[in-house]
Amino acid sequence: LLLAGARAGWIGYAVGLLALACFQYRQRPRKLVQLLAFALLASVLLGGAGYALSERFAERVERTLSFLDGSRAGIDYALAGRVPIFETAATMASGNPLNGVGVRNFRYAYPEYAAADDPWVATDRSRGAAHPHYWPLEVLAEQGAIGGLAWLAVLIVLIHGWRRADTGARSKALAPGLALLVLLFPLNTHPALYSSFWQALWWWALGMYLGSVWGRGSVERGSRLPPF
């Protein structure tokens, strides 16, 4: 995971561990300190070994630290040249505030909203970056405010379902819930929500999660199931 150099993978792994630690704290408070201590020790040892032995890993760490420079160039370098993509996505979203440019149409609409010197635009200006590398921007650019509100409703249902579920249902929903948390964590810049692979993955995780927290017998006594 470390040597592959995918920083989105590092972030996703850290988010998953932290969420698992919080769950363990509620279930077994004494296990939390052990889990965190082990995770911290393993991270330090593996990170130090990776930095010393892998040029790829060391380059990724040094590239990430350039974010602290504070300049646009430093931030752009740390983000692998994605600042122009973020800026173009924001311009696209502001230019199509209601329903966006259409799902999976980002790459084709990109040249129209990109700056003249944007490095992600093809030489024939037929297409640009495949997706915004930031899923809230992807939703706003491709689906506009309608899509943004729909996704906000989805997140509310996910959180509300977890809060109302009993302990058994939460245990069943933990694995798909962690998958959804990692996939939808805002700093996870890798997935495109509507690409064939990632869409299949998060739809599967969504179905497993909702089936666990909203299924019959999975809601705490006294609570009512939602009308859907």
Side-chain angles (χ1 to χ4, degrees), residues 11-23:
I11 293 173
Y13 188 62
V15 170
L17 277 181
L18 181 59
L20 186 60
C22 293
F23 183 80

Side-chain angles (χ1 to χ4, degrees), residues 62-78:
E62 292 169 1
R63 183 167 197 159
T64 303
L65 293 177
S66 66
F67 190 89
L68 301 177
D69 179 87
S71 65
R72 187 185 187 280
I75 295 174
D76 189 44
Y77 180 72

Side-chain angles (χ1 to χ4, degrees), residues 47-65:
Y51 188 85
L53 300 175
S54 171
E55 293 182 4
R56 180 181 178 87
F57 179 75
E59 186 275 332
R60 286 291 182 175
V61 172
E62 292 169 1
R63 183 167 197 159
T64 303
L65 293 177

Side-chain angles (χ1 to χ4, degrees), residues 123 194 219:
T123 54
Y194 299 108
V219 180

